[in-house]
Amino acid sequence: MQEVFDFLKNCGTYYLATAEGDQPRVRPFGTIHEFEGKLYIQTGKVKEVSRQIHQNSKIEICAFSGDAWIRVAATAVEDERISAKQSMLDAYPSLQKMYQADDGNTEVFYLKDATATISSFTSEPKIIKF
């Protein structure tokens, strides 16, 4: 899991895919955080991505760095604890202009049953499950 976190953190921006009915939806994201041994992402409950995750918790993440790329397939599980939200906000202070841990909008999800595949054109794919 640490390798997946490091890869995504190094990228800065990754792309999160959700589904809306039969239509895939992809958007750039920048929050990836380790808390209590799990990888977390963050969004706001007022956003379409939140609604989509609540309707279908299966997500995928994709990012590219150097000559390698990563794909992560996982189930996003909401963590409603203030401590999880605050930990994310502490890791990303710039978010505190828009979000507070107890504002009723901030939402964090951890990745469950995740399979990450790190690939490149020069080596065999590496599969990491967590």
Side-chain angles (χ1 to χ4, degrees):
M1 185 188 82
Q2 186 65 46
E3 186 173 356
V4 173
F5 171 78
D6 292 343
F7 193 105
L8 292 171
K9 190 75 170 174
N10 181 57
C11 288
T13 300
Y14 59 88
Y15 297 88
L16 176 73
T18 58
E20 185 171 40
D22 65 350
Q23 180 64 48
R25 300 291 183 192
V26 180
R27 80 277 295 149
F29 256 60
T31 54
I32 191 72
H33 182 57
E34 187 276 326
F35 179 68
E36 295 182 346
K38 297 177 183 169
L39 287 187
Y40 280 76
I41 61 172
Q42 182 274 338
T43 192
K45 289 182 180 181
V46 298
K47 295 183 177 182
E48 288 295 309
V49 65
S50 171
R51 184 182 56 75
Q52 292 159 3
I53 292 172
H54 283 284
Q55 287 179 355
N56 181 351
S57 61
K58 302 276 187 190
I59 64 165
E60 289 206 9
I61 292 171
C62 186
F64 188 83
S65 179
D67 65 350
W69 60 93
I70 190 169
R71 290 183 328 221
V72 182
T75 300
V77 178
E78 185 178 10
D79 187 337
E80 296 182 348
R81 296 177 300 156
I82 295 291
S83 60
K85 296 174 188 179
Q86 189 61 55
S87 181
M88 175 67 80
L89 294 172
D90 290 345
Y92 291 89
S94 63
L95 291 177
Q96 294 179 24
K97 295 174 187 171
M98 300 177 290
Y99 298 101
Q100 298 298 315
D102 61 354
D103 64 6
N105 181 40
T106 301
E107 192 167 45
V108 295
F109 297 89
Y110 66 86
L111 306 184
K112 179 182 172 190
D113 301 328
T115 300
T117 305
I118 300 174
S119 302
S120 76
F121 291 117
T122 59
S123 62
E124 292 295 315
K126 181 175 187 179
I127 297 173
I128 302 165
K129 294 181 182 263
F130 58 95

CSV table of all heavy atoms in Angstrom, one decimal, residues 23-78:
chain,number,residue,atom,x,y,z
A,23,GLN,N,-22.8,5.4,-17.8
A,23,GLN,CA,-21.8,6.4,-18.3
A,23,GLN,C,-20.6,6.6,-17.3
A,23,GLN,O,-20.9,6.9,-16.2
A,23,GLN,CB,-22.5,7.8,-18.5
A,23,GLN,CG,-21.6,8.9,-19.0
A,23,GLN,CD,-21.1,8.6,-20.4
A,23,GLN,OE1,-21.8,8.2,-21.3
A,23,GLN,NE2,-19.8,8.7,-20.6
A,24,PRO,N,-19.4,6.3,-17.8
A,24,PRO,CA,-18.3,6.5,-16.9
A,24,PRO,C,-18.1,8.0,-16.7
A,24,PRO,O,-18.4,8.8,-17.6
A,24,PRO,CB,-17.1,5.9,-17.7
A,24,PRO,CG,-17.7,5.2,-18.8
A,24,PRO,CD,-19.1,5.7,-19.0
A,25,ARG,N,-17.6,8.4,-15.6
A,25,ARG,CA,-17.3,9.8,-15.3
A,25,ARG,C,-15.8,9.8,-14.7
A,25,ARG,O,-15.5,9.1,-13.8
A,25,ARG,CB,-18.2,10.4,-14.3
A,25,ARG,CG,-19.7,10.4,-14.7
A,25,ARG,CD,-19.9,11.3,-15.8
A,25,ARG,NE,-21.3,11.4,-16.2
A,25,ARG,CZ,-21.8,11.9,-17.3
A,25,ARG,NH1,-21.0,12.5,-18.1
A,25,ARG,NH2,-23.1,11.9,-17.5
A,26,VAL,N,-15.0,10.7,-15.3
A,26,VAL,CA,-13.6,10.8,-14.8
A,26,VAL,C,-13.3,12.3,-14.5
A,26,VAL,O,-13.7,13.2,-15.3
A,26,VAL,CB,-12.7,10.3,-15.9
A,26,VAL,CG1,-11.2,10.4,-15.5
A,26,VAL,CG2,-13.0,8.8,-16.3
A,27,ARG,N,-12.6,12.5,-13.5
A,27,ARG,CA,-12.2,13.9,-13.1
A,27,ARG,C,-10.9,13.8,-12.4
A,27,ARG,O,-10.5,12.9,-11.8
A,27,ARG,CB,-13.3,14.6,-12.3
A,27,ARG,CG,-13.3,14.2,-10.8
A,27,ARG,CD,-14.0,13.0,-10.4
A,27,ARG,NE,-15.4,13.1,-10.7
A,27,ARG,CZ,-16.2,12.1,-11.0
A,27,ARG,NH1,-15.7,10.9,-11.0
A,27,ARG,NH2,-17.5,12.2,-11.3
A,28,PRO,N,-10.1,15.0,-12.4
A,28,PRO,CA,-8.9,15.0,-11.7
A,28,PRO,C,-9.1,15.2,-10.2
A,28,PRO,O,-10.0,15.9,-9.8
A,28,PRO,CB,-8.2,16.3,-12.3
A,28,PRO,CG,-9.3,17.1,-12.8
A,28,PRO,CD,-10.4,16.2,-13.2
A,29,PHE,N,-8.2,14.5,-9.5
A,29,PHE,CA,-8.3,14.6,-8.0
A,29,PHE,C,-6.8,14.8,-7.5
A,29,PHE,O,-5.9,14.5,-8.3
A,29,PHE,CB,-8.8,13.3,-7.4
A,29,PHE,CG,-10.2,13.3,-6.9
A,29,PHE,CD1,-11.2,13.6,-7.7
A,29,PHE,CD2,-10.4,13.0,-5.6
A,29,PHE,CE1,-12.5,13.6,-7.3
A,29,PHE,CE2,-11.7,13.0,-5.1
A,29,PHE,CZ,-12.8,13.3,-5.9
A,30,GLY,N,-6.7,15.3,-6.3
A,30,GLY,CA,-5.4,15.5,-5.8
A,30,GLY,C,-5.1,15.1,-4.4
A,30,GLY,O,-4.0,15.2,-3.9
A,31,THR,N,-6.2,14.6,-3.7
A,31,THR,CA,-6.0,14.2,-2.3
A,31,THR,C,-5.8,12.7,-2.3
A,31,THR,O,-6.7,11.9,-2.7
A,31,THR,CB,-7.3,14.6,-1.5
A,31,THR,OG1,-8.5,14.0,-2.2
A,31,THR,CG2,-7.4,16.1,-1.4
A,32,ILE,N,-4.7,12.3,-1.7
A,32,ILE,CA,-4.5,10.9,-1.3
A,32,ILE,C,-3.8,10.9,0.0
A,32,ILE,O,-2.9,11.7,0.3
A,32,ILE,CB,-3.6,10.2,-2.4
A,32,ILE,CG1,-3.6,8.7,-2.1
A,32,ILE,CG2,-2.2,10.7,-2.5
A,32,ILE,CD1,-4.9,7.9,-2.4
A,33,HIS,N,-4.3,10.2,1.0
A,33,HIS,CA,-3.8,10.3,2.3
A,33,HIS,C,-3.9,8.9,3.0
A,33,HIS,O,-4.8,8.2,2.8
A,33,HIS,CB,-4.7,11.3,3.1
A,33,HIS,CG,-4.3,11.5,4.5
A,33,HIS,ND1,-3.1,12.0,4.9
A,33,HIS,CD2,-5.0,11.4,5.7
A,33,HIS,CE1,-3.0,12.1,6.2
A,33,HIS,NE2,-4.2,11.8,6.7
A,34,GLU,N,-2.8,8.7,3.8
A,34,GLU,CA,-2.8,7.4,4.6
A,34,GLU,C,-3.2,7.8,6.0
A,34,GLU,O,-2.8,8.8,6.6
A,34,GLU,CB,-1.4,6.9,4.6
A,34,GLU,CG,-1.3,5.5,5.3
A,34,GLU,CD,-1.1,5.6,6.8
A,34,GLU,OE1,-0.5,6.5,7.3
A,34,GLU,OE2,-1.7,4.7,7.5
A,35,PHE,N,-4.2,7.1,6.5
A,35,PHE,CA,-4.7,7.3,7.9
A,35,PHE,C,-5.1,5.9,8.5
A,35,PHE,O,-5.8,5.1,7.8
A,35,PHE,CB,-6.0,8.2,7.9
A,35,PHE,CG,-6.6,8.4,9.2
A,35,PHE,CD1,-5.9,9.2,10.2
A,35,PHE,CD2,-7.8,8.0,9.5
A,35,PHE,CE1,-6.5,9.4,11.4
A,35,PHE,CE2,-8.4,8.2,10.8
A,35,PHE,CZ,-7.7,8.9,11.7
A,36,GLU,N,-4.5,5.6,9.6
A,36,GLU,CA,-4.8,4.3,10.3
A,36,GLU,C,-4.6,3.1,9.4
A,36,GLU,O,-5.4,2.2,9.4
A,36,GLU,CB,-6.1,4.4,11.0
A,36,GLU,CG,-6.2,5.4,12.1
A,36,GLU,CD,-7.6,5.4,12.8
A,36,GLU,OE1,-8.5,4.8,12.3
A,36,GLU,OE2,-7.6,6.1,13.8
A,37,GLY,N,-3.6,3.2,8.5
A,37,GLY,CA,-3.3,2.0,7.7
A,37,GLY,C,-4.1,1.8,6.5
A,37,GLY,O,-4.1,0.8,5.9
A,38,LYS,N,-4.9,2.9,6.1
A,38,LYS,CA,-5.7,2.8,4.9
A,38,LYS,C,-5.4,4.0,4.0
A,38,LYS,O,-5.1,5.1,4.6
A,38,LYS,CB,-7.2,2.8,5.3
A,38,LYS,CG,-7.6,1.6,6.1
A,38,LYS,CD,-9.0,1.7,6.5
A,38,LYS,CE,-9.4,0.5,7.4
A,38,LYS,NZ,-10.7,0.6,8.0
A,39,LEU,N,-5.7,3.9,2.7
A,39,LEU,CA,-5.6,5.0,1.8
A,39,LEU,C,-6.9,5.7,1.7
A,39,LEU,O,-8.0,5.0,1.5
A,39,LEU,CB,-5.1,4.6,0.4
A,39,LEU,CG,-3.7,4.2,0.3
A,39,LEU,CD1,-3.4,3.9,-1.2
A,39,LEU,CD2,-2.7,5.2,0.8
A,40,TYR,N,-6.9,7.0,1.8
A,40,TYR,CA,-8.1,7.8,1.8
A,40,TYR,C,-8.1,8.9,0.6
A,40,TYR,O,-7.1,9.4,0.2
A,40,TYR,CB,-8.3,8.6,3.1
A,40,TYR,CG,-8.8,7.9,4.2
A,40,TYR,CD1,-8.0,7.0,4.9
A,40,TYR,CD2,-10.1,8.1,4.7
A,40,TYR,CE1,-8.5,6.3,6.0
A,40,TYR,CE2,-10.6,7.4,5.8
A,40,TYR,CZ,-9.8,6.5,6.4
A,40,TYR,OH,-10.3,5.8,7.5
A,41,ILE,N,-9.3,9.2,0.1
A,41,ILE,CA,-9.5,10.3,-0.8
A,41,ILE,C,-10.6,11.2,-0.1
A,41,ILE,O,-11.2,10.8,0.8
A,41,ILE,CB,-10.0,9.8,-2.2
A,41,ILE,CG1,-11.3,9.1,-2.1
A,41,ILE,CG2,-8.9,9.0,-2.8
A,41,ILE,CD1,-12.0,8.7,-3.4
A,42,GLN,N,-10.7,12.4,-0.6
A,42,GLN,CA,-11.6,13.4,0.0
A,42,GLN,C,-12.4,14.1,-1.1
A,42,GLN,O,-11.9,14.4,-2.2
A,42,GLN,CB,-10.8,14.4,0.8
A,42,GLN,CG,-11.6,15.5,1.5
A,42,GLN,CD,-11.9,16.7,0.6
A,42,GLN,OE1,-11.3,17.0,-0.3
A,42,GLN,NE2,-13.0,17.4,1.0
A,43,THR,N,-13.6,14.4,-0.8
A,43,THR,CA,-14.5,15.3,-1.7
A,43,THR,C,-15.5,16.0,-0.8
A,43,THR,O,-15.5,15.9,0.4
A,43,THR,CB,-15.1,14.5,-2.8
A,43,THR,OG1,-15.7,15.4,-3.8
A,43,THR,CG2,-16.2,13.5,-2.3
A,44,GLY,N,-16.4,16.7,-1.5
A,44,GLY,CA,-17.5,17.4,-0.8
A,44,GLY,C,-18.8,16.7,-1.1
A,44,GLY,O,-19.0,16.2,-2.3
A,45,LYS,N,-19.7,16.6,-0.1
A,45,LYS,CA,-21.0,15.9,-0.4
A,45,LYS,C,-21.9,16.6,-1.4
A,45,LYS,O,-22.7,15.9,-2.0
A,45,LYS,CB,-21.8,15.8,1.0
A,45,LYS,CG,-21.2,14.8,1.9
A,45,LYS,CD,-22.0,14.7,3.2
A,45,LYS,CE,-21.3,13.7,4.2
A,45,LYS,NZ,-22.1,13.6,5.4
A,46,VAL,N,-21.6,17.9,-1.7
A,46,VAL,CA,-22.4,18.6,-2.6
A,46,VAL,C,-22.0,18.3,-4.1
A,46,VAL,O,-22.7,18.7,-5.0
A,46,VAL,CB,-22.4,20.1,-2.4
A,46,VAL,CG1,-22.9,20.5,-1.0
A,46,VAL,CG2,-21.0,20.6,-2.6
A,47,LYS,N,-20.9,17.6,-4.3
A,47,LYS,CA,-20.4,17.3,-5.6
A,47,LYS,C,-21.1,16.1,-6.2
A,47,LYS,O,-21.4,15.1,-5.5
A,47,LYS,CB,-18.9,17.2,-5.6
A,47,LYS,CG,-18.2,18.5,-5.2
A,47,LYS,CD,-16.7,18.3,-5.2
A,47,LYS,CE,-16.1,19.7,-4.9
A,47,LYS,NZ,-14.6,19.6,-5.0
A,48,GLU,N,-21.1,16.1,-7.6
A,48,GLU,CA,-21.7,14.9,-8.3
A,48,GLU,C,-20.9,13.7,-8.0
A,48,GLU,O,-21.4,12.6,-7.9
A,48,GLU,CB,-21.7,15.2,-9.8
A,48,GLU,CG,-22.7,16.2,-10.2
A,48,GLU,CD,-24.1,15.7,-10.0
A,48,GLU,OE1,-24.5,14.6,-10.4
A,48,GLU,OE2,-24.9,16.5,-9.4
A,49,VAL,N,-19.5,13.8,-7.8
A,49,VAL,CA,-18.7,12.6,-7.6
A,49,VAL,C,-19.2,11.9,-6.3
A,49,VAL,O,-19.2,10.7,-6.2
A,49,VAL,CB,-17.2,13.0,-7.6
A,49,VAL,CG1,-16.9,13.9,-6.4
A,49,VAL,CG2,-16.4,11.7,-7.5
A,50,SER,N,-19.6,12.7,-5.3
A,50,SER,CA,-20.0,12.1,-4.0
A,50,SER,C,-21.3,11.3,-4.3
A,50,SER,O,-21.4,10.1,-3.8
A,50,SER,CB,-20.3,13.2,-3.0
A,50,SER,OG,-21.0,12.7,-1.9
A,51,ARG,N,-22.2,11.9,-5.0
A,51,ARG,CA,-23.5,11.2,-5.3
A,51,ARG,C,-23.2,9.9,-6.1
A,51,ARG,O,-23.8,8.8,-5.8
A,51,ARG,CB,-24.4,12.1,-6.1
A,51,ARG,CG,-25.8,11.5,-6.4
A,51,ARG,CD,-26.7,12.4,-7.2
A,51,ARG,NE,-26.0,12.8,-8.5
A,51,ARG,CZ,-25.9,12.0,-9.6
A,51,ARG,NH1,-26.3,10.8,-9.5
A,51,ARG,NH2,-25.3,12.5,-10.7
A,52,GLN,N,-22.3,10.0,-7.0
A,52,GLN,CA,-22.0,8.8,-7.8
A,52,GLN,C,-21.3,7.7,-7.0
A,52,GLN,O,-21.7,6.5,-7.1
A,52,GLN,CB,-21.1,9.2,-9.0
A,52,GLN,CG,-21.7,10.1,-10.0
A,52,GLN,CD,-20.8,10.9,-10.9
A,52,GLN,OE1,-19.6,10.8,-10.7
A,52,GLN,NE2,-21.4,11.7,-11.7
A,53,ILE,N,-20.4,8.1,-6.1
A,53,ILE,CA,-19.8,7.0,-5.2
A,53,ILE,C,-20.8,6.4,-4.3
A,53,ILE,O,-20.8,5.2,-4.1
A,53,ILE,CB,-18.6,7.6,-4.4
A,53,ILE,CG1,-17.5,8.0,-5.4
A,53,ILE,CG2,-18.2,6.7,-3.4
A,53,ILE,CD1,-16.3,8.8,-4.7
A,54,HIS,N,-21.8,7.2,-3.8
A,54,HIS,CA,-22.8,6.6,-2.9
A,54,HIS,C,-23.7,5.7,-3.7
A,54,HIS,O,-24.2,4.7,-3.1
A,54,HIS,CB,-23.6,7.7,-2.2
A,54,HIS,CG,-22.8,8.3,-1.1
A,54,HIS,ND1,-22.6,7.7,0.1
A,54,HIS,CD2,-22.1,9.5,-1.0
A,54,HIS,CE1,-21.9,8.5,0.9
A,54,HIS,NE2,-21.6,9.6,0.3
A,55,GLN,N,-24.0,5.9,-5.0
A,55,GLN,CA,-24.8,5.1,-5.8
A,55,GLN,C,-24.1,3.8,-6.2
A,55,GLN,O,-24.7,2.7,-6.3
A,55,GLN,CB,-25.3,5.8,-7.0
A,55,GLN,CG,-26.4,6.8,-6.7
A,55,GLN,CD,-26.8,7.6,-7.9
A,55,GLN,OE1,-26.3,7.4,-9.0
A,55,GLN,NE2,-27.8,8.4,-7.7
A,56,ASN,N,-22.8,3.9,-6.5
A,56,ASN,CA,-22.0,2.8,-6.9
A,56,ASN,C,-20.6,3.0,-6.3
A,56,ASN,O,-19.8,3.8,-6.9
A,56,ASN,CB,-21.9,2.7,-8.4
A,56,ASN,CG,-21.1,1.5,-8.9
A,56,ASN,OD1,-20.4,0.8,-8.1
A,56,ASN,ND2,-21.2,1.2,-10.2
A,57,SER,N,-20.2,2.3,-5.3
A,57,SER,CA,-18.9,2.5,-4.6
A,57,SER,C,-17.7,2.0,-5.3
A,57,SER,O,-16.6,2.2,-4.8
A,57,SER,CB,-19.0,2.0,-3.2
A,57,SER,OG,-19.2,0.6,-3.2
A,58,LYS,N,-17.9,1.3,-6.4
A,58,LYS,CA,-16.7,0.9,-7.2
A,58,LYS,C,-16.1,2.0,-7.9
A,58,LYS,O,-16.8,2.7,-8.7
A,58,LYS,CB,-17.1,-0.2,-8.2
A,58,LYS,CG,-17.8,-1.4,-7.6
A,58,LYS,CD,-16.8,-2.4,-7.1
A,58,LYS,CE,-17.5,-3.6,-6.7
A,58,LYS,NZ,-16.7,-4.5,-6.0
A,59,ILE,N,-14.8,2.3,-7.7
A,59,ILE,CA,-14.1,3.4,-8.3
A,59,ILE,C,-12.8,2.8,-9.0
A,59,ILE,O,-12.4,1.7,-8.6
A,59,ILE,CB,-13.8,4.5,-7.3
A,59,ILE,CG1,-12.8,4.0,-6.3
A,59,ILE,CG2,-15.0,5.1,-6.7
A,59,ILE,CD1,-12.1,5.1,-5.5
A,60,GLU,N,-12.2,3.7,-9.8
A,60,GLU,CA,-10.9,3.4,-10.3
A,60,GLU,C,-10.1,4.7,-10.3
A,60,GLU,O,-10.7,5.8,-10.5
A,60,GLU,CB,-10.9,2.8,-11.7
A,60,GLU,CG,-11.4,1.4,-11.7
A,60,GLU,CD,-10.9,0.5,-12.8
A,60,GLU,OE1,-10.0,0.9,-13.6
A,60,GLU,OE2,-11.4,-0.6,-13.0
A,61,ILE,N,-8.8,4.6,-10.1
A,61,ILE,CA,-7.9,5.7,-10.1
A,61,ILE,C,-6.8,5.4,-11.1
A,61,ILE,O,-6.4,4.2,-11.2
A,61,ILE,CB,-7.3,5.9,-8.7
A,61,ILE,CG1,-8.3,6.4,-7.7
A,61,ILE,CG2,-6.1,6.8,-8.7
A,61,ILE,CD1,-7.9,6.4,-6.3
A,62,CYS,N,-6.4,6.4,-11.9
A,62,CYS,CA,-5.3,6.2,-12.8
A,62,CYS,C,-4.4,7.4,-12.8
A,62,CYS,O,-4.9,8.6,-12.6
A,62,CYS,CB,-5.9,6.1,-14.2
A,62,CYS,SG,-4.7,5.7,-15.5
A,63,ALA,N,-3.1,7.2,-12.9
A,63,ALA,CA,-2.1,8.3,-12.9
A,63,ALA,C,-0.9,7.9,-13.6
A,63,ALA,O,-0.6,6.7,-13.8
A,63,ALA,CB,-1.8,8.7,-11.4
A,64,PHE,N,-0.1,8.8,-14.1
A,64,PHE,CA,1.1,8.6,-14.9
A,64,PHE,C,2.2,9.4,-14.3
A,64,PHE,O,2.0,10.6,-13.9
A,64,PHE,CB,0.8,9.1,-16.3
A,64,PHE,CG,1.9,8.7,-17.3
A,64,PHE,CD1,1.9,7.4,-17.8
A,64,PHE,CD2,2.9,9.6,-17.6
A,64,PHE,CE1,2.9,7.1,-18.7
A,64,PHE,CE2,3.9,9.3,-18.5
A,64,PHE,CZ,3.9,8.0,-19.1
A,65,SER,N,3.4,8.8,-14.2
A,65,SER,CA,4.6,9.4,-13.7
A,65,SER,C,5.8,8.9,-14.3
A,65,SER,O,6.0,7.7,-14.3
A,65,SER,CB,4.7,9.3,-12.2
A,65,SER,OG,5.8,9.9,-11.7
A,66,GLY,N,6.6,9.7,-15.0
A,66,GLY,CA,7.8,9.3,-15.6
A,66,GLY,C,7.4,8.3,-16.8
A,66,GLY,O,6.7,8.7,-17.7
A,67,ASP,N,7.9,7.1,-16.7
A,67,ASP,CA,7.6,6.1,-17.7
A,67,ASP,C,6.6,5.0,-17.2
A,67,ASP,O,6.5,4.0,-17.8
A,67,ASP,CB,8.9,5.5,-18.3
A,67,ASP,CG,9.6,4.6,-17.3
A,67,ASP,OD1,9.3,4.7,-16.1
A,67,ASP,OD2,10.5,3.9,-17.6
A,68,ALA,N,6.0,5.3,-16.1
A,68,ALA,CA,5.1,4.3,-15.5
A,68,ALA,C,3.7,4.9,-15.2
A,68,ALA,O,3.6,6.1,-15.0
A,68,ALA,CB,5.7,3.7,-14.2
A,69,TRP,N,2.7,4.0,-15.2
A,69,TRP,CA,1.4,4.5,-14.8
A,69,TRP,C,0.8,3.4,-13.8
A,69,TRP,O,1.2,2.3,-13.7
A,69,TRP,CB,0.5,4.6,-16.0
A,69,TRP,CG,0.3,3.4,-16.9
A,69,TRP,CD1,-0.7,2.5,-16.8
A,69,TRP,CD2,1.1,3.0,-17.9
A,69,TRP,NE1,-0.6,1.5,-17.7
A,69,TRP,CE2,0.6,1.8,-18.4
A,69,TRP,CE3,2.3,3.4,-18.5
A,69,TRP,CZ2,1.1,1.0,-19.5
A,69,TRP,CZ3,2.9,2.7,-19.6
A,69,TRP,CH2,2.3,1.5,-20.0
A,70,ILE,N,-0.2,3.9,-13.1
A,70,ILE,CA,-0.9,3.1,-12.1
A,70,ILE,C,-2.4,3.1,-12.3
A,70,ILE,O,-2.9,4.1,-12.7
A,70,ILE,CB,-0.5,3.6,-10.7
A,70,ILE,CG1,-1.0,2.6,-9.6
A,70,ILE,CG2,-1.1,5.0,-10.4
A,70,ILE,CD1,-0.5,2.9,-8.2
A,71,ARG,N,-3.0,2.0,-12.1
A,71,ARG,CA,-4.4,1.9,-12.1
A,71,ARG,C,-4.8,1.2,-10.8
A,71,ARG,O,-4.2,0.2,-10.4
A,71,ARG,CB,-4.9,1.0,-13.3
A,71,ARG,CG,-4.8,1.7,-14.6
A,71,ARG,CD,-5.4,0.8,-15.7
A,71,ARG,NE,-5.2,-0.6,-15.3
A,71,ARG,CZ,-4.9,-1.6,-16.2
A,71,ARG,NH1,-4.7,-1.3,-17.4
A,71,ARG,NH2,-4.8,-2.8,-15.8
A,72,VAL,N,-5.7,1.8,-10.1
A,72,VAL,CA,-6.2,1.2,-8.8
A,72,VAL,C,-7.7,1.0,-8.9
A,72,VAL,O,-8.5,2.0,-9.1
A,72,VAL,CB,-5.9,2.2,-7.6
A,72,VAL,CG1,-6.3,1.5,-6.3
A,72,VAL,CG2,-4.4,2.6,-7.6
A,73,ALA,N,-8.1,-0.2,-8.7
A,73,ALA,CA,-9.6,-0.5,-8.7
A,73,ALA,C,-9.9,-0.8,-7.2
A,73,ALA,O,-9.2,-1.6,-6.6
A,73,ALA,CB,-9.9,-1.7,-9.5
A,74,ALA,N,-10.9,-0.2,-6.7
A,74,ALA,CA,-11.3,-0.4,-5.3
A,74,ALA,C,-12.7,-0.1,-5.0
A,74,ALA,O,-13.4,0.4,-5.9
A,74,ALA,CB,-10.4,0.6,-4.4
A,75,THR,N,-13.1,-0.4,-3.8
A,75,THR,CA,-14.4,0.0,-3.3
A,75,THR,C,-14.2,1.2,-2.4
A,75,THR,O,-13.3,1.1,-1.5
A,75,THR,CB,-15.1,-1.1,-2.5
A,75,THR,OG1,-15.3,-2.2,-3.4
A,75,THR,CG2,-16.4,-0.7,-2.0
A,76,ALA,N,-14.9,2.3,-2.6
A,76,ALA,CA,-14.7,3.5,-1.7
A,76,ALA,C,-15.7,3.4,-0.6
A,76,ALA,O,-16.9,3.2,-0.8
A,76,ALA,CB,-15.0,4.7,-2.5
A,77,VAL,N,-15.2,3.4,0.6
A,77,VAL,CA,-16.0,3.3,1.9
A,77,VAL,C,-15.9,4.6,2.6
A,77,VAL,O,-14.9,5.0,3.0
A,77,VAL,CB,-15.5,2.1,2.7
A,77,VAL,CG1,-16.3,2.0,4.0
A,77,VAL,CG2,-15.5,0.8,1.9
A,78,GLU,N,-17.1,5.2,2.9
A,78,GLU,CA,-17.1,6.4,3.6
A,78,GLU,C,-16.7,6.2,5.1
A,78,GLU,O,-17.1,5.2,5.7
A,78,GLU,CB,-18.5,7.1,3.5
A,78,GLU,CG,-18.6,8.4,4.2
A,78,GLU,CD,-20.0,9.1,4.1
A,78,GLU,OE1,-20.9,8.4,3.7
A,78,GLU,OE2,-20.1,10.2,4.5
